[in-house]
Amino acid sequence: MTDRQPMDPTDAFAELGRIKLSETDIDGVLNKIAQLAERTIPGTDEVSVTLVRGKGAYTAAFTGELAVALDEAQYEKGHGPCLAASTSGDSLSLPDMATESRWPDWAARAREAGVNSSLSIGLPIHESVSGALNVYARKPDTFDDDAIILAQTFAGYAAVALANAHLYDVTATLAQHMQAAMESRTVIEQAKGIIMGERRCTADEAFRIMSKLSQDSNRKLRDVAAALVDRAQQPPRSST
């Protein structure tokens, strides 16, 4: 459950800025954004965050099942305010579902579910990822101009937090790949040294021997090298 105690916007913005990416992941950032938005934007009943990668859209964080259901109704049809805001980066206000003419079918579904007004604010996150902050309210005309400006400001802070989280995630993944590559290179060099010692051959000849072993056994070069190193590290068998 989320803490529904109202929160001062300044405190919410500060909390978004204090997120330590070394102590959470992008899912944790998304959940924090949804929870803080629910407490910060007046009149809000439920919040969700839509992310769009390529042609696929999904709800990455939410504070209630109603928000998820209304998001997914848009994904099924391929249109709606959260998708439009994700694509354009604009802010879309639906003050009264009873008079909504842009997405009348979805608005009717929202009314049936008990939602009568909503906001979707575009979240430019990365060149390959976009999204929207979706704010739902049971009462019509919930979000006045001040609430919309507040939601837009909140979304700006949220977009920065998400962009930083995305960059941190990409950087961490790259670092892991580089570490793995360095470890692979090290074990291959060790295996080359073992072959050079056993065969009295050059480094190039040792590498060709390993490459042929890799091809003949249909194993990765690193795996062949690791097996050679492991074998060399085994204690010699005692004669009986």
Side-chain angles (χ1 to χ4, degrees):
M1 292 180 63
T2 59
D3 182 358
R4 295 299 302 271
Q5 187 69 26
M7 191 170 192
D8 182 89
T10 303
D11 293 337
F13 302 154
E15 191 161 335
L16 285 173
R18 287 195 299 267
I19 294 174
K20 294 183 178 180
L21 300 176
S22 60
E23 298 177 0
T24 186
D25 55 15
I26 195 164
D27 289 335
V29 176
L30 287 161
N31 287 326
K32 175 65 73 174
I33 287 169
Q35 293 165 10
L36 290 176
E38 185 182 56
R39 297 173 57 192
T40 304
I41 302 169
T44 298
D45 286 303
E46 291 191 15
V47 172
S48 68
V49 179
T50 293
L51 289 188
V52 180
R53 299 174 185 267
K55 295 184 179 179
Y58 65 101
T59 298
F62 58 91
T63 62
E65 296 296 332
L66 181 58
V68 179
L70 292 179
D71 287 354
E72 291 181 345
Q74 297 176 62
Y75 309 151
E76 291 170 6
K77 296 291 185 181
H79 61 80
C82 77
L83 292 176
S86 297
T87 301
S88 66
D90 294 336
S91 300
L92 296 172
S93 174
L94 283 68
D96 190 347
M97 298 298 179
T99 59
E100 175 56 43
S101 59
R102 291 165 292 182
W103 302 281
D105 292 345
W106 180 80
R109 186 163 180 173
R111 288 183 68 200
E112 290 174 2
V115 167
N116 284 284
S117 56
S118 72
L119 283 175
S120 286
I121 314 293
L123 292 172
I125 301 165
H126 186 264
E127 59 185 14
S128 63
V129 185
S130 61
L133 177 70
N134 308 304
V135 185
Y136 296 107
R138 297 187 181 279
K139 295 180 180 180
D141 300 311
T142 293
F143 306 112
D144 59 15
D145 290 343
D146 289 341
I148 294 173
I149 292 172
L150 174 57
Q152 290 171 332
T153 305
F154 182 95
Y157 280 88
V160 171
L162 282 174
N164 288 340
H166 180 79
L167 179 61
Y168 183 90
D169 186 56
V170 169
T171 303
T173 300
L174 178 61
Q176 290 170 359
H177 289 168
M178 290 179 65
Q179 179 66 26
M182 290 173 64
E183 291 173 355
S184 293
R185 182 172 179 176
T186 298
V187 76
I188 288 171
E189 290 299 319
Q190 290 175 336
K192 281 169 57 178
I194 292 168
I195 294 173
M196 290 167 64
E198 291 178 348
R199 304 286 184 94
R200 299 292 190 270
C201 62
T202 66
D204 287 343
E205 289 171 337
F207 186 80
R208 284 196 292 271
I209 290 170
M210 270 200 302
S211 296
K212 189 173 188 308
L213 284 171
S214 173
Q215 293 171 358
D216 292 346
S217 61
N218 195 27
R219 291 185 295 167
K220 292 180 180 179
L221 184 63
R222 184 195 183 286
D223 294 339
V224 170
L228 288 169
V229 172
D230 287 344
R231 186 197 67 187
Q233 291 175 345
Q234 295 296 322
R237 294 182 180 179
S238 57
S239 56
T240 55

